[in-house]
Amino acid sequence: MLPSQPLLHAAVLALAALQALASDTFIAAVYEHAVILPDVTDEPVSPDEALALMNRNMDVLEGAIKEATQQGAHIIVTPEDGIYGWLFTRETIYPYLEDIPDPAVNWIPCTDPTRFGPAPVQERLSCMARNNSIYVAANIGDKKPCNSSDPGCPSDRRYQYNTDVVFDPEGKLVARYHKYNLFMSETQFNYPKEPEAITFETPFGKFGIFTCFDILFREPAVVLVSELQVDTVLFPTAWMNVLPFLTAVEFHSAWAMGMGVNLLSANTHNISLAMTGSGIYAPDGARTYYYNMKSGDGHLLIAELDSHPRLSPASSPAVSWSSYALSVKRFSLNDRDFSGLIFHDRFTFTELTKPEGNLTVCQKDLCCHLSYKMAGKREDEVYVLGAFDGLHVVEGQYYLQICTLLKCKSMDRNTCGQPVETAQTKFEMFSLSGTFGTNYVFPEVLYSGVQLAPGEFEVLNDGCLISKTRPTRPVVTVTLFGRWYEKDHLKQDPQPSASP
């Protein structure tokens, strides 16, 4: 049946309004929240006590949302665990959970809060979005009953999920995502039976969402970008910083650059657990970021982003990551190589013994090439070029190919790969490349003091990571962090033994 003329007219007007609202840019906000944590207990608290704690955290988040709105933000992301914390068993988190429906139900909790049973947290988040006319992304817990007819049903007859939700400016629930790659300590939650690739449309582009540890895996992170072609990813996280490659600001900015999308990363703030580092990242680098291991306070970040970064004039063509490295001969022999551990992975290293030069180090099929020039070689600092080609199996199993220039912790070469935050050596230039077997490589440059280097480096089409200008600060690490997803399920190979 053909639609009536008034309905057709209304549809045309609605489409025109949406197109009029569509924008080439938008204002994004993320809030790094110092979460108010519950007391550690072996027994579940009452629902009223749980809600009281969550309201204290939501009071803080609501203040950040109001401030973001006053500064023109269209969307805000808040952290993983930002409403109730993380000190839970499966039993003690239960009072904090709500039943979160599929967004297809077309629900505005702010105006119809009891439609799916008690949902005070969803109601309040929905009202925050509606009252401030802003998209709000938050992380809460979902509960779903099950019974014995489901062979996977837990003994307590319910599934519990680490869950992201998004409410639009009217307060409508538009996205629900169940975290697929749980970190090893998240025993209070269940794994979803299948990975979810969640997207939603806005007047300023197509958005996707996933959580924390998900970023290291193909599903859902790569699927959202490479297959579903989202423009921007929302990323609630509770990220514990791990030097030299996996500090939050360092890796998340590199991921956005390597994947060619915007990433809105909101971290929890807890300096005792090395949790800090939030940012608004674009494919050409960080628009703004925050890393603070001294203050215990939260922090709001706001920046403007392109709505469709792939269509931006600044968008880079696809990189052939191994092109340059495969075209050159080895710069140096392996007669001075040695091995060392970085986050449980055994790297092959070679030392930068001269103020400038060309070096190569190889492990398995990966050869890393470095050309460099120091502003002056210090006698009290050691730098090495390192390569790792293998399966990481500590807190998860994933295959890595990494080329890295990094500062050692001390003059003792046995400390190479241990966490280092500061350096004094400045470089005139650097160029790093590798014979990668994967197309997923994330370029990192970290300066002294855990500072990023936006605008000071670039990746050429042939896979070289180069300094664009003379680096303005001493270098802690320059890294090409490769993920070879197809090899994640291989058996672990014996790692190279240490040289005598």
Side-chain angles (χ1 to χ4, degrees):
M1 184 175 71
L2 293 175
S4 67
Q5 199 64 27
L7 283 176
L8 185 61
H9 180 66
V12 170
L13 285 178
L15 180 60
L18 184 62
Q19 290 173 335
L21 288 171
S23 175
D24 292 335
T25 64
F26 69 101
I27 306 297
V30 301
Y31 184 65
E32 180 162 311
H33 177 39
V35 184
I36 302 167
L37 298 174
D39 295 329
V40 179
T41 175
D42 293 330
E43 297 296 325
V45 299
S46 70
D48 287 344
E49 289 175 296
L51 182 58
L53 176 87
M54 292 190 286
N55 274 324
R56 290 174 65 195
N57 279 301
M58 286 191 288
D59 288 345
V60 179
L61 298 182
E62 186 167 14
I65 289 168
K66 289 180 177 178
E67 184 180 345
T69 302
Q70 290 168 2
Q71 296 189 44
H74 300 100
I75 188 167
I76 185 169
V77 183
T78 62
E80 181 185 25
D81 301 330
I83 290 177
Y84 47 64
W86 51 84
L87 304 173
F88 298 106
T89 65
R90 180 174 180 83
E91 293 73 27
T92 59
I93 200 172
Y94 183 70
Y96 297 84
L97 307 180
E98 294 184 357
D99 188 348
I100 306 171
D102 188 310
V105 299
N106 194 28
W107 181 41
I108 300 177
C110 187
T111 59
D112 188 9
T114 59
R115 180 178 168 189
F116 299 100
V121 175
Q122 293 173 85
E123 177 186 358
R124 187 167 181 189
L125 291 171
S126 168
C127 290
M128 289 182 199
R130 185 178 179 88
N131 295 341
N132 293 281
S133 298
I134 189 174
Y135 285 87
V136 172
N139 177 261
I140 57 178
D142 189 10
K143 59 182 180 182
K144 291 287 179 282
C146 58
N147 57 47
S148 57
S149 64
D150 176 359
C153 183
S155 59
D156 54 14
R157 296 294 182 257
R158 63 179 182 263
Y159 290 107
Q160 301 181 170
Y161 299 115
N162 180 332
T163 307
D164 297 330
V165 290
V166 182
F167 297 93
D168 74 6
E170 292 184 347
K172 184 169 71 173
L173 178 68
V174 294
R176 180 196 67 185
Y177 167 69
H178 296 137
K179 184 178 180 182
Y180 185 62
N181 298 286
L182 297 175
F183 196 65
M184 56 185 181
S185 60
E186 293 185 89
T187 55
Q188 68 269 40
F189 292 119
N190 295 105
Y191 289 91
K193 293 180 179 179
E194 298 292 336
E196 302 170 350
I198 302 301
T199 68
F200 60 98
E201 296 286 349
T202 76
F204 36 89
K206 185 177 182 179
F207 281 63
I209 188 166
F210 54 76
T211 316
C212 202
F213 202 38
D214 285 325
I215 201 170
L216 283 168
F217 299 90
R218 183 181 182 277
E219 292 182 304
V222 175
V223 171
L224 281 175
V225 178
S226 297
E227 297 181 17
L228 300 182
Q229 296 286 296
V230 298
D231 300 298
T232 299
V233 171
L234 309 183
F235 184 58
T237 184
W239 193 278
M240 292 176 284
N241 291 295
V242 180
L243 286 160
F245 311 133
L246 289 173
T247 62
V249 296
E250 174 188 22
F251 184 69
H252 302 162
S253 61
W255 190 89
M257 182 174 288
M259 296 302 294
V261 293
N262 301 321
L263 182 72
L264 311 187
S265 173
N267 201 1
T268 54
H269 190 83
N270 187 303
I271 55 179
S272 66
L273 293 176
M275 288 179 173
T276 183
S278 300
I280 299 173
Y281 306 114
D284 58 354
R287 295 296 168 88
T288 184
Y289 69 97
Y290 177 75
Y291 177 95
N292 191 324
M293 281 292 290
K294 297 179 181 179
S295 168
D297 299 330
H299 191 81
L300 178 67
L301 294 170
I302 295 179
E304 186 174 23
L305 288 168
D306 291 329
S307 299
H308 306 283
R310 290 184 182 86
L311 304 179
S312 167
S315 177
S316 300
V319 175
S320 176
W321 283 105
S322 61
S323 179
Y324 174 80
L326 289 172
S327 71
V328 297
K329 294 182 179 179
R330 295 179 64 112
F331 288 149
S332 56
L333 300 176
N334 284 353
D335 55 342
R336 302 189 66 176
D337 288 359
F338 62 101
S339 66
L341 290 175
I342 300 181
F343 196 40
H344 309 285
D345 298 320
R346 188 163 294 281
F347 278 65
T348 302
F349 293 127
T350 191
E351 184 179 346
L352 281 63
T353 58
K354 300 176 181 179
E356 61 181 291
N358 302 295
L359 293 174
T360 297
V361 67
C362 299
Q363 187 179 108
K364 296 183 184 175
D365 295 328
L366 178 66
C367 284
C368 305
H369 303 303
L370 172 70
S371 296
Y372 71 95
K373 182 178 181 181
M374 298 175 177
K377 187 169 188 323
R378 297 179 59 93
E379 295 303 318
D380 59 348
E381 291 190 329
V382 173
Y383 282 80
V384 293
L385 173 64
F388 177 74
D389 186 357
L391 198 63
H392 178 86
V393 294
V394 178
E395 81 301 340
Q397 179 166 303
Y398 45 93
Y399 200 97
L400 301 173
Q401 286 191 315
I402 299 175
C403 291
T404 182
L405 159 67
L406 60 82
K407 183 204 164 191
C408 301
K409 188 173 183 179
S410 74
M411 297 297 291
D412 182 354
R413 298 198 312 181
N414 291 321
T415 68
C416 295
Q418 294 181 16
V420 176
E421 287 195 4
T422 60
Q424 298 184 64
T425 300
K426 288 188 175 181
F427 283 71
E428 297 277 357
M429 61 78 64
F430 54 76
S431 174
L432 180 66
S433 63
T435 56
F436 292 96
T438 176
N439 291 322
Y440 295 99
V441 180
F442 309 113
E444 304 177 348
V445 176
L446 194 66
Y447 286 163
S448 182
V450 192
Q451 297 297 306
L452 300 182
E456 296 194 15
F457 70 94
E458 64 179 326
V459 176
L460 304 181
N461 296 348
D462 61 7
C464 279
L465 166 56
I466 66 168
S467 51
K468 289 173 65 174
T469 59
R470 177 178 176 177
T472 55
R473 295 188 182 209
V475 169
V476 170
T477 179
V478 176
T479 301
L480 291 170
F481 188 101
R483 276 288 285 114
W484 202 335
Y485 302 105
E486 294 82 0
K487 289 192 172 188
D488 283 357
H489 301 293
L490 297 178
K491 292 184 178 180
Q492 185 180 19
D493 293 330
Q495 297 202 2
S497 59
S499 301

